Amino acid sequence: MNPKFGYPATADDYREKARARLPGFLFDYLEGGATDEQTLRANESDWANILLRQRVLVDVDEVDTATTLVGQSCSMPVVLAPLGLAGMMARRGEVQAVRAANASGIPFTLSTVGICPVEEVQAAATEAAWFQLYMIRDRARIEALLKKAWSAGCRTLVFTVDLPLPGMRHRDFRNGLASPGPRSKLLKIQQLLARPGWIWHVALRGGPLSFGNLSDALPDASNLDAFKEWIDTQFDPTVTWADIEWIRSHWQGKLLIKGILDVEDARQAVQLGADAIVVSNHGGRQLDGVASGAGKLPEIVAAVGSQIDILVDGGVRSGVDIFRALALGAQGVMVGRPWAWALAGAGEAGLTRLLTSWQQELRLAMTLTGVTRIADIGNDQLDRPHKPKYPKAGEQQ
Ligand SMILES: Cc1cc2nc3c(=O)[nH]c(=O)nc-3n(C[C@H](O)[C@H](O)[C@H](O)COP(=O)(O)O)c2cc1C
C-alpha cells in the first residue's frame, strides 16, 4: 500500500507520512542513529526473532490488556518515551501527545529537552505526565527543574543515564544540525522550502519553538542552534552512581533509571533503590555496536527481574512486539519514534489510532497464545524459550 493514498495502519505507514511532511533534517533527526546505525537496525529486527507459541481451544472470552506500571494504572503496558524536540514534529507536539496518550490510558514522558514546558503539558494532561531528566552540569538548575516538575504535578521521574555525551549521529552532521554556520543554514532553508505545510502549521502557528523547560537558561532560548550548542556542553560526563542518591534526596516520587544495558548496572540500580529500570540503548543513538533491547532483556530479567520492575525500549513497532517484550519478562515497554511519526504524519488523531491498533494487536496476541491477563504473559508463551547458550549440567540439548 502507498500510505499517501490508503489509511495508515502500521507504525511504518505513519513513518512514511511523517517523511512526506517533515523537513528532511527533522525527519533524519528523528529517524537516525549513531555511527553506522547497526544497533538501530538490530533494535527493530531482533524482535522478529522472538517466536510465540500459539495455543488453541482455551477459553479466552475475557482478555484484559490493563496493567499497573510503576504504581500507575494503564490500559496496556506501554509508555510514550521521552523525545527531545518532539514539539518540532507537530504543532505543540508534546501537548498533542499527552492528550493522545491519556485518551488511550497510558503515561506520557516529557523530555528535559522537549519544546513544550512541563506546566503546559500538565495543563493538557488528565494523568500526571512522567518527567525525564538529563543531568546537566549546573546542579542548581537541575534542582529548580525538579521543583518545577513536582509543582506542575509530575510524580514519576525518568533519569536517563546513557547520555554523558551526545552520540555521533552522522545524519545530523550531514544536514548541518550538528555544525551551525551559513552553509548549514542554507541547507536547512532548502529543506524547509520543500515543506510549506510544516512552516505554516508548526513553525508559524506552533511557537514558541524553544526548549520550554530550560527557557530561562539562555537569554535567547528561541535560537535553537545557540541553545543546542549550549546544551551539548552541559551534558555532564562526571555523573556516577553517587549522583542517584543526590537525585533521591531531591525527588520524593517514583524514580526510574533509563539506559541500562548491563547486568552489573542493573544490580546497582536495584541496590540504590530505583523503582524500575528501562533496558534501553537510547534508540540506537548513542553507542553503535551494543546489543538491542530485545537482545539484552532476557539476561537482565534473569539477574534482577524478581527484585525490580523492568521496562524495555528500542524498535517496538507493534502490539505483537509489546507481547514479545512481556514474554521475555518485561513489565512494559517504552515507545519512541512511532509516536512522533504518527503525530507528524496524522496529528493527535493519528497517534490515538495507532495506539488503539496496538492494543487490538496485543489483545489478539493474548487470545491466540491463550492468556487472558497481562500478568500471565511470560516465558511459557515463547515458542523457543530463550535458554542459556550452553545447556546446564544434566539438561538435554
Ligand atoms: C528523536 C529522539 C529524541 C530522543 N530524545 C530523548 C530524550 O530527550 N531523553 C531520553 O531519555 N531519551 C531520548 N530518546 C530515546 C527514547 O526515549 C527511546 O529510548 C528510544 O527512542 C526508543 O527507541 P525507538 O525509537 O526505537 O522506540 C530520543 C530518541 C529519539 C529518536
Side-chain angles (χ1 to χ4, degrees):
M1 183 206 74
N2 182 339
K4 268 190 192 157
F5 303 113
Y7 293 110
T10 64
D12 259 349
D13 292 347
Y14 285 104
R15 170 194 259 160
E16 292 316 311
K17 283 202 159 291
R19 193 196 302 272
R21 283 195 177 182
L22 290 173
F25 64 90
L26 272 185
F27 181 77
D28 270 350
Y29 165 74
L30 177 60
E31 185 83 353
T35 311
D36 291 327
E37 301 188 337
Q38 285 164 350
T39 295
L40 173 66
R41 285 190 290 279
N43 273 354
E44 286 196 0
S45 60
D46 282 2
W47 291 112
N49 297 327
I50 314 295
L51 298 186
L52 303 176
R53 188 173 159 216
Q54 178 171 295
R55 300 298 309 278
V56 296
L57 300 176
V58 181
D59 180 355
V60 279
D61 187 31
E62 296 206 358
V63 171
D64 186 3
T65 62
T67 189
T68 301
L69 290 178
V70 206
Q72 193 164 327
S73 299
C74 311
S75 64
M76 60 176 162
V78 178
V79 180
L80 298 193
L83 296 183
L85 291 178
M88 302 283 283
M89 307 299 159
R91 189 192 316 164
R92 308 317 282 162
E94 292 90 356
V95 165
Q96 292 198 58
V98 79
R99 282 202 300 245
N102 290 172
S104 306
I106 63 168
F108 167 78
T109 315
L110 175 65
S111 165
T112 299
V113 287
I115 294 291
C116 301
V118 63
E119 297 89 345
E120 185 184 348
V121 170
Q122 273 297 104
T126 52
E127 284 285 331
W130 294 10
F131 187 76
Q132 178 267 327
L133 180 74
Y134 281 129
M135 194 64 115
I136 55 176
R137 288 176 193 269
D138 184 345
R139 294 297 148 90
R141 196 165 297 287
I142 296 280
E143 224 179 304
L145 201 54
L146 290 177
K147 275 201 186 121
K148 200 151 83 141
W150 185 269
S151 312
C154 297
R155 294 293 178 268
T156 305
L157 186 70
V158 177
F159 180 41
T160 300
V161 293
D162 58 3
L163 210 138
L165 291 173
M168 292 289 282
R169 301 168 196 159
H170 295 318
R171 294 193 202 209
D172 291 351
F173 180 77
R174 288 189 198 107
N175 287 325
L177 270 197
S179 51
R183 192 173 127 74
S184 70
K185 224 175 220 154
L186 266 180
L187 266 172
K188 272 183 266 179
I189 289 172
Q190 209 179 13
Q191 297 176 15
L192 283 168
L193 290 177
R195 294 289 182 270
W198 182 89
I199 296 180
W200 172 245
H201 288 291
V202 185
L204 295 176
R205 299 174 65 209
L209 295 183
S210 56
F211 291 100
N213 295 314
L214 299 165
S215 51
D216 48 353
L218 267 188
D220 183 12
S222 60
N223 180 347
L224 283 181
D225 280 345
F227 210 99
K228 190 170 180 306
E229 237 176 293
W230 176 81
I231 194 82
D232 282 355
T233 62
Q234 278 292 318
F235 289 114
D236 187 351
T238 68
V239 175
T240 68
W241 291 101
D243 293 281
I244 305 275
E245 292 183 28
W246 183 87
I247 287 181
R248 263 281 180 231
S249 66
H250 289 84
W251 184 260
Q252 311 309 315
K254 302 276 186 191
L255 175 67
L256 284 81
I257 301 185
K258 174 173 180 282
I260 297 290
L261 213 57
D262 186 88
V263 165
E264 287 314 308
D265 290 338
R267 290 206 172 101
Q268 288 262 31
V270 171
Q271 254 175 28
L272 284 165
D275 293 290
I277 55 172
V278 186
V279 174
S280 172
N281 55 34
H282 213 101
R285 293 162 78 81
Q286 286 299 95
L287 179 58
D288 199 25
V290 297
S292 66
K296 227 36 202 179
L297 180 63
E299 206 184 315
I300 294 179
V301 167
V304 299
S306 60
Q307 301 163 67
I308 193 166
D309 280 355
I310 299 178
L311 305 188
V312 63
D313 76 13
V316 173
R317 299 292 177 260
S318 68
V320 176
D321 286 346
I322 300 168
F323 185 94
R324 287 172 161 136
L326 301 192
L328 290 182
Q331 270 69 50
V333 301
M334 276 196 166
V335 172
R337 293 174 182 85
W339 74 254
W341 291 331
L343 212 59
E348 190 178 328
L351 176 52
T352 309
R353 277 197 302 274
L354 181 66
L355 293 171
T356 304
S357 158
W358 281 15
Q359 189 174 14
Q360 281 168 359
E361 269 175 358
L362 174 60
R363 192 176 292 122
L364 206 63
M366 292 171 73
T367 304
L368 286 164
T369 52
V371 286
T372 56
R373 295 179 324 137
I374 289 292
D376 293 340
I377 304 173
N379 214 265
D380 216 28
Q381 279 68 54
L382 294 173
D383 189 25
R384 270 186 239 143
H386 284 244
K387 293 189 175 177
K389 213 167 179 187
Y390 302 101
K392 290 185 199 136
E395 199 179 34
Q396 298 255 309
Q397 198 158 13

